[in-house]
Amino acid sequence: MSDGRCGVLVVEDDIEMAEQVSESLKVNGYAVALARDKASGLDEGRSGRYGVLLIDRLLPDGDGVEIVRVLREERQNTPVLIISALGEVDDRVRGLRAGGDDYLVKPFAVAELQARVEALARRSDRVIKETVLHAGDLELDLLARKARRRGRDIGLLPREFRLLEYLVRNQGHVVTRAMLLQHVWDIHFDPMTNIIDVYVSRIRRKVDSNDDYPLFHTVRGVGFCIRATG
């Protein structure tokens, strides 16, 4: 970003978990940075560049709660969401008393993570989010939750808008059905349903209707891609 600020810092050593959390936040418009251990997480947290910190407790070089404790001792008040597999009452109490603003126990639903980060972001003046996305002449207004192409409003249901938003954020790349199930429906397994194809077909008719070039492209046997070729 041009002013050097970043929205969310994720301190997580599990690569798969870090990527999942990062992707879910990027889909919602946040800029995300990653740190893999307590030392780098503390250094980044001290920088003051982030609007929200997501900190795992079980890090390779210590307890992530120590990051929170040190930052609070240094008078840094960046909102912190602690994410951890340690979910006993004593664990949550320790995290909150160290200065954490919220505590989310693994495993968690992506939608809940997004909602909790959104709540913390409202307290911060350093979170930057995109408000408008473009793919060719398609425009998505993320605040109004409206889509428009060449001045034509496109009527979309909430789930349709969310699916289209995910495809646009990943434009130029093939998105699989499994990825859409996970990030749009929060389903982490394939229930052998054709719901993805039904929704994509419905949105394709709305978006590509009466326009010179198609934005939707199907990669047979793999998934779908938004690509502006006009």
Side-chain angles (χ1 to χ4, degrees):
M1 289 172 294
S2 60
D3 60 1
R5 295 184 295 174
C6 188
V8 180
L9 173 67
V10 177
V11 186
E12 170 65 70
D13 66 307
D14 184 291
I15 296 176
E16 183 177 353
M17 174 62 71
E19 290 179 349
Q20 179 184 349
V21 170
S22 177
E23 180 66 22
S24 70
L25 295 174
K26 289 178 181 178
V27 164
N28 266 23
Y30 295 101
V32 181
L34 298 176
R36 302 296 190 190
D37 53 40
K38 188 179 77 171
S40 57
L42 181 57
D43 286 343
E44 286 296 306
R46 281 170 164 160
S47 71
R49 296 190 295 119
Y50 303 98
V52 177
L53 308 180
L54 270 67
I55 301 177
D56 184 31
R57 287 197 57 179
L58 301 177
L59 298 170
D61 53 347
D63 191 335
V65 164
E66 291 304 306
I67 299 176
V68 186
R69 182 185 60 77
V70 171
L71 291 177
R72 297 304 184 239
E73 288 178 352
E74 295 176 354
R75 308 293 186 187
Q76 296 215 31
N77 60 1
T78 305
V80 174
L81 170 60
I82 298 171
I83 51 176
S84 178
L86 302 175
E88 298 297 326
V89 172
D90 288 346
D91 296 317
R92 299 197 302 271
V93 168
R94 181 170 180 235
L96 295 172
R97 283 182 172 169
D101 298 273
D102 199 357
Y103 197 109
L104 183 60
V105 179
K106 301 177 182 178
F108 48 78
V110 171
E112 182 176 5
L113 171 72
Q114 293 171 338
R116 290 178 184 244
V117 170
E118 189 74 32
L120 293 179
R122 286 194 289 268
R123 308 180 192 177
S124 176
D125 61 358
R126 290 192 296 274
V127 170
I128 301 172
K129 293 184 68 174
E130 298 172 275
T131 59
V132 178
L133 299 179
H134 293 91
D137 53 14
L138 174 68
E139 178 181 293
L140 295 186
D141 186 327
L142 303 182
L143 297 180
R145 309 303 287 177
K146 292 183 178 180
R148 173 174 293 194
R149 189 170 188 189
R150 296 187 181 179
R152 172 176 61 88
D153 290 331
I154 302 172
L156 296 172
L157 298 174
R159 185 83 67 176
E160 293 173 341
F161 187 93
R162 190 172 174 186
L163 189 152
L164 180 58
E165 178 186 346
Y166 186 78
L167 289 171
V168 170
R169 287 190 183 280
N170 291 278
Q171 62 182 292
H173 302 281
V174 178
V175 174
T176 66
R177 290 170 176 80
M179 292 168 66
L180 290 171
L181 282 173
Q182 177 179 345
H183 293 286
V184 179
W185 276 267
D186 202 20
I187 297 175
H188 296 262
F189 63 95
D190 186 355
M192 301 298 291
T193 176
N194 69 340
I195 189 171
I196 299 297
D197 298 89
V198 171
Y199 267 78
V200 168
S201 178
R202 186 188 303 165
I203 300 170
R204 188 200 301 260
R205 287 196 299 269
K206 295 180 179 182
V207 171
D208 285 342
S209 175
N210 300 319
D211 288 290
D212 292 338
Y213 63 91
L215 290 172
F216 273 82
H217 301 271
T218 300
V219 180
R220 190 175 299 277
V222 182
F224 309 96
C225 177
I226 289 285
R227 186 171 64 249
T229 57

